[in-house]
Amino acid sequence: MPLVIAKTVLPDASKFYLAVGRIFGIGRAQGLAIAEEVGISKEARVADLKAHHVQQVVALINERYKVGDELKRSIRDDIVRLIEAKTYRGRRHSLGLPVRGQKTSSNAQTARKFKRHQLYDVK
């Protein structure tokens, strides 16, 4: 039976640190750090884990990391805060344009395309 951590299914056949990297908010490097701290080998598969290792990993992730829906909610709240404060970054987010200073004359086609669909999607 596949292991589920933070509403993410970890496949039994994959290596543990790579599988933990699938959780939103945890990458491969942090997955490797978690595995080393709990005492799980780099080569260990998810199916080979013992119950106490799984409990340690879940406790460590809940204690130290903001992952999954909690992280997504936090990111969304930060963007809403920027929009409500009417900052430059907030305006760029609300217009669907690049936020971090990229030029838009020749790049940002994807953002501009999505903006166009949103503007003309009036019912």
Side-chain angles (χ1 to χ4, degrees), residues 3 5 16 38-41 44-58:
L3 178 64
I5 298 177
F16 174 75
V38 173
I40 299 172
S41 169
R45 304 281 173 177
V46 173
D48 300 338
L49 291 181
K50 295 194 167 46
H52 71 279
H53 284 313
V54 174
Q55 291 172 351
Q56 287 178 333
V57 168
V58 170

Side-chain angles (χ1 to χ4, degrees), residues 70-112:
E70 182 183 358
L71 179 59
K72 289 177 187 177
R73 189 178 315 108
S74 173
I75 292 170
R76 187 182 63 239
D77 291 345
D78 290 341
I79 293 172
V80 168
R81 181 182 48 81
L82 290 171
I83 292 171
E84 288 175 352
K86 297 185 179 173
T87 62
Y88 178 79
R89 285 176 55 203
R91 288 187 187 128
R92 300 299 281 187
H93 272 293
S94 64
L95 291 173
L97 292 170
V99 176
R100 298 184 177 180
Q102 300 93 328
K103 66 179 192 169
T104 58
S105 60
S106 62
N107 288 332
Q109 297 299 319
T110 303
R112 290 165 61 199

